[in-house]
């Protein structure tokens, strides 16, 4: 029987040491340190590290881990804000063959204890700022775990981890910067473990591999327009999908990382001006913070700052407002399971001539498959058939790519369900437009079915965000005896906003959309959010159940 590829299957055409090397983002740092040893790689307040120094610190990190008994496949957890130690962990930990578990520092002690146990962490590196939480988490963890403390100069002195074995800078001195790290043999080997920010139940452990990290980092860096002269401001948590892989992607282009301990509009505007930052990322809540920052902290800059956003659909009103203060917004879409962004709302030249509102509406869509994604589709989850590209028929967004997780750690049932039919099921409902751009309409659990009609909560929120007094809005289903469900709006007004009533909000919506889609109830106040800034709609649904007709 003839071979599948005939003459191309000959033994002398096989893969060998000369024509194959496993893909890993660790090589980005090795290259940058060798070619640009004197270029500034990392800025952290008054501190500066060149690429030569950055590379040496990461090699020390890896060797120090090995000397402490960390073996290939072991999990090393890090609880820290966007400081150099966490950035260095993205290289030092996998250089030792270990798996990085960057912890969400906004989680409570019980959640952190669960993750440490589920991920079988062998070592914890934690910032002094979170000493009380770490103390509580380790007590709940119930087993001895070696701890290394980051006593960063900008740390909030809320406490000192008396149980820490060594401070981070002293830990680095335990390692030899000349110690070699073994080239990766298997690009499918795990590089990182990230936990989903689930709103109910325990979070799931998402396992990334070196190949996916390499490809996602390259794809995201190219898509976002990063280059050697770029200055990336870390407004996106590095713990979130490993900073959407920009922890590796910025280094791939030998650009400059600017660390930022906390997201504060005053610090962000100051850093843009001082360091001439060219790029930043964040959830729509971050953009909203910048737009509504007090005039006293806003600073003008003479260059356009590229801002990528994802995690939820940014209202077009927010995109418009960002453009007015000097930012150009790129809308991305993705999940923890996909290393962050899978989709980009790619710019089309013909949009340039559109009025700002119409242009922002185009840009608010999720868009087309990212450079590194194999394919995305909108399909009926039951039949697995694509929906018509009419911009109206709703289906589930599904993707297929090298840049998808290996699976959920110790959870084969959830892994099989996520990959059913050979596609990753995102759980997001959307439409396919005639131009091939996808638009998310809702999470499957968030769609509102009123009198048999599907109402997109995102569509209603889009209208609410255009109200001149509204700063934030979320819409969920409220049980209704007649209609089954009706929209219920939760609204946060802008600081100093003029008084607005529920009737005013409802009238605004009825004037700007189909009447049946307008909310029947409005609640004013701050919105509950997850640790990654997403609105906790499950909590709002519970509140809505208690609201009278």
């Amino acid at each position: 029987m003839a071979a599948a590829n005939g003459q191309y299957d000959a033994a002398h055409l096989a893969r060998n040491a000369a024509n194959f090397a496993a893909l890993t983002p660790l090589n980005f740092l090795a290259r940058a340190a060798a070619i640009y040893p004197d270029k500034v790689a990392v800025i952290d307040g008054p501190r500066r590290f060149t690429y030569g120094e950055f590379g040496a610190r990461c090699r020390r990190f890896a060797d120090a881990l090995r000397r402490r008994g960390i073996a290939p496949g072991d999990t090393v957890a890090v609880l820290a804000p966007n400081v150099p130690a966490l950035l260095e962990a993205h290289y030092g930990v996998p250089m030792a063959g270990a798996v990085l578990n960057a912890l969400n520092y906004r989680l409570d002690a019980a959640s952190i204890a669960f993750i440490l146990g589920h991920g079988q962490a062998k070592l914890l590196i934690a910032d002094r700022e979170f000493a009380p939480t770490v103390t509580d988490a380790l007590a709940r963890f119930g087993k001895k775990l070696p701890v290394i403390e980051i006593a960063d100069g900008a740390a909030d002195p809320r406490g000192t981890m008396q149980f820490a074995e060594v401070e981070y800078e002293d830990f680095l001195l335990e390692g030899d910067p000349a110690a070699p790290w073994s080239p990766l043999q298997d690009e499918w080997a795990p590089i990182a473990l990230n936990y989903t920010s689930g709103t109910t139940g325990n979070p799931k452990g998402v396992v990334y591999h070196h190949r996916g990290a390499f490809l996602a980092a390259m794809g995201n860096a190219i898509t976002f327009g990063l280059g050697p002269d770029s200055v990336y401001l870390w407004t996106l948590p590095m713990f979130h999908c490993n900073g959407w892989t920009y922890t590796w992607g910025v280094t791939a282009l030998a650009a400059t990382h600017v660390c930022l301990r906390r997201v504060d509009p005053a610090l962000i505007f100051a850093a843009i001006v001082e360091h001439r930052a060219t790029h930043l990322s964040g959830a729509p809540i971050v953009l909203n913070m910048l737009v509504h920052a007090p005039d006293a902290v806003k600073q003008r800059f003479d260059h356009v700052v590229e801002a990528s956003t994802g995690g939820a659909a940014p209202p077009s009103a927010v995109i418009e407002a960002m453009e007015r203060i000097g930012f150009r917004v790129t809308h991305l879409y993705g999940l923890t399971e996909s290393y962050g962004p899978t989709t980009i709302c790619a710019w089309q030249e013909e949009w340039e001539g559109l009025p700002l509102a119409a242009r922002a509406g185009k840009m608010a869509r999720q868009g087309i498959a990212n450079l590194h994604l194999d394919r995305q589709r909108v399909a009926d989850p039951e039949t697995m058939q694509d929906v018509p590209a009419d911009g109206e028929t709703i289906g589930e967004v599904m993707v297929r790519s090298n840049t998808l997780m290996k699976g959920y750690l110790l959870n084969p049932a959830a892994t099989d369900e996520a990959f059913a039919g050979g596609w990753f099921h995102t759980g997001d409902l959307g439409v396919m437009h005639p131009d091939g751009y996808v638009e998310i309409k809702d999470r499957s659990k968030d769609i509102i079915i009123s009198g048999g009609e599907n109402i997109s909560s995102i569509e209603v929120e889009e209208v609410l965000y255009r109200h001149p007094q509204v700063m934030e809005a979320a819409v969920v289903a409220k049980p209704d005896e007649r209609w089954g469900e009706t929209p219920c709006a939760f609204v946060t007004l802008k600081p100093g906003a003029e008084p607005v009533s529920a009737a005013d909000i409802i009238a605004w919506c009825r004037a700007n959309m189909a009447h049946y889609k307008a909310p029947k109830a409005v609640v004013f106040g701050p919105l509950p959010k997850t640790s990654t800034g997403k609105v906790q709609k499950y909590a709002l649904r519970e509140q809505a159940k208690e609201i009278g007709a």
Side-chain angles (χ1 to χ4, degrees):
M1 186 175 187
N5 293 306
Q7 62 185 339
Y8 297 106
D9 285 328
H12 72 285
L13 298 180
R15 189 170 75 182
N16 60 64
N19 66 16
F20 174 82
L23 298 180
T24 173
L26 301 182
N27 289 337
F28 298 154
L29 179 56
R31 178 180 182 275
I35 300 174
Y36 307 104
D38 299 322
K39 183 177 182 181
V40 174
V42 182
I43 296 174
D44 177 45
R47 296 195 295 174
R48 304 288 186 275
F49 298 120
T50 66
Y51 266 106
E53 292 168 333
F54 182 28
R57 287 171 65 87
C58 293
R59 291 193 300 273
R60 282 187 181 276
F61 197 140
D63 191 49
L65 289 175
R66 286 189 290 262
R67 291 169 186 254
R68 283 180 169 263
I70 297 299
D74 285 346
T75 302
V76 175
V78 182
L79 182 68
N82 289 351
V83 294
L86 181 51
L87 181 60
E88 290 160 0
H90 279 79
Y91 298 90
V93 172
M95 278 179 175
V99 180
L100 172 63
N101 177 204
L103 297 167
N104 182 343
Y105 56 78
R106 297 170 183 146
L107 294 175
D108 59 20
S111 298
I112 291 174
F114 168 80
I115 291 172
L116 292 174
H118 187 267
Q120 300 175 35
K122 296 294 193 296
L123 178 75
L124 172 63
I125 302 174
D127 192 279
R128 176 178 293 179
E129 180 175 350
F130 310 115
T133 302
V134 172
T135 300
D136 191 358
L138 291 179
R140 295 168 182 266
F141 183 56
K143 294 185 289 185
K144 180 172 175 55
L145 186 66
V147 178
I148 294 167
E149 178 181 15
I150 304 169
D152 188 81
D156 186 347
R158 298 180 186 175
T160 301
M161 285 178 275
Q162 302 294 340
F163 46 80
E165 296 189 4
V166 66
E167 200 278 321
Y168 177 74
E169 293 296 330
D170 292 329
F171 162 74
L172 289 187
L173 294 177
E174 296 176 10
D176 181 359
W181 56 278
S182 301
L184 184 72
Q185 299 300 314
D186 181 10
E187 60 186 12
W188 187 248
I191 188 172
L193 172 64
N194 295 305
Y195 280 81
T196 59
S197 56
T199 54
T200 57
N202 288 322
K204 296 191 288 287
V206 176
V207 182
Y208 289 179
H209 47 83
H210 282 255
R211 175 181 175 83
F214 177 98
L215 294 170
M218 289 296 290
N220 286 322
I222 294 170
T223 299
F224 200 19
L226 291 174
D229 296 328
S230 297
V231 178
Y232 187 88
L233 179 60
W234 274 104
T235 51
L236 175 74
M238 292 183 196
F239 68 70
H240 188 44
C241 309
N242 299 109
W244 295 352
T245 71
Y246 289 124
T247 45
W248 299 303
V250 173
T251 301
L253 277 301
T256 299
H257 300 264
V258 179
C259 292
L260 194 66
R261 176 169 278 273
R262 55 180 49 84
V263 177
D264 179 316
L267 298 176
I268 293 171
F269 280 107
I272 290 172
V273 173
E274 179 181 359
H275 307 300
R276 199 172 176 79
T278 58
H279 295 73
L280 58 80
S281 305
I285 186 175
V286 175
L287 307 190
N288 219 17
M289 286 173 58
L290 296 176
V291 167
H292 296 290
D295 290 340
V297 305
K298 285 181 179 175
Q299 297 190 41
R300 300 193 66 83
F301 34 89
D302 59 3
H303 65 288
V304 174
V305 176
E306 302 289 347
S308 66
T309 189
S316 57
V318 174
I319 294 176
E320 289 179 47
M322 285 289 284
E323 282 201 14
R324 293 193 186 100
I325 59 174
F327 297 86
R328 181 161 49 211
V329 177
T330 298
H331 185 195
L332 305 171
Y333 161 78
L335 305 95
T336 301
E337 291 87 342
S338 62
Y339 298 70
T342 62
T343 298
I344 177 174
C345 190
W347 177 259
Q348 299 287 346
E349 290 300 323
E350 56 265 31
W351 297 354
E352 188 69 48
L354 295 174
L356 181 56
R359 186 167 74 244
K362 293 279 190 183
M363 294 165 64
R365 299 181 299 171
Q366 280 64 33
I368 60 171
N370 213 334
L371 180 65
H372 53 269
L373 196 75
D374 178 45
R375 189 186 165 200
Q376 74 169 350
R377 62 195 294 223
V378 180
D380 184 315
E382 298 298 325
T383 66
M384 295 298 287
Q385 297 297 308
D386 288 352
V387 302
D390 56 10
E392 296 181 1
T393 307
I394 291 179
E396 184 180 10
V397 179
M398 304 178 189
V399 294
R400 174 182 285 169
S401 181
N402 289 290
T403 53
L404 285 171
M405 64 175 179
K406 289 167 68 78
Y408 296 114
L409 185 68
L410 304 175
N411 197 338
T415 301
D416 290 344
E417 182 180 0
F419 290 140
W423 291 84
F424 175 67
H425 294 249
T426 66
D428 285 318
L429 300 180
V431 298
M432 179 69 75
H433 285 276
D435 61 0
Y437 281 59
V438 165
E439 182 178 3
I440 302 295
K441 289 298 184 179
D442 244 325
R443 291 291 293 174
S444 57
K445 60 180 178 291
D446 291 337
I447 203 79
I448 301 166
I449 305 175
S450 184
E453 296 281 356
N454 288 348
I455 299 175
S456 164
S457 67
I458 293 176
E459 182 182 353
V460 184
E461 289 162 5
E462 171 74 16
V463 172
L464 288 168
Y465 267 97
R466 289 195 168 276
H467 190 286
Q469 306 304 326
V470 171
M471 185 172 75
E472 291 185 315
V475 175
V476 299
K478 172 183 172 296
D480 185 272
E481 288 186 5
R482 180 181 181 185
W483 302 107
E485 295 178 337
T486 56
C488 178
F490 291 81
V491 171
T492 303
L493 298 179
K494 296 176 182 177
E498 297 177 4
V500 177
S501 68
D504 293 333
I505 295 294
I506 294 170
W508 170 269
C509 291
R510 289 173 64 87
N512 288 280
M513 66 193 313
H515 287 190
Y516 77 91
K517 296 181 180 181
K520 302 297 187 292
V522 179
V523 179
F524 295 96
L527 304 182
K529 297 183 176 70
T530 69
S531 56
T532 55
K534 297 178 184 177
V535 174
Q536 293 177 314
K537 286 198 169 182
Y538 75 94
L540 297 181
R541 279 191 287 270
E542 291 301 313
Q543 280 187 247
K545 291 178 183 178
E546 306 301 320
I547 299 172

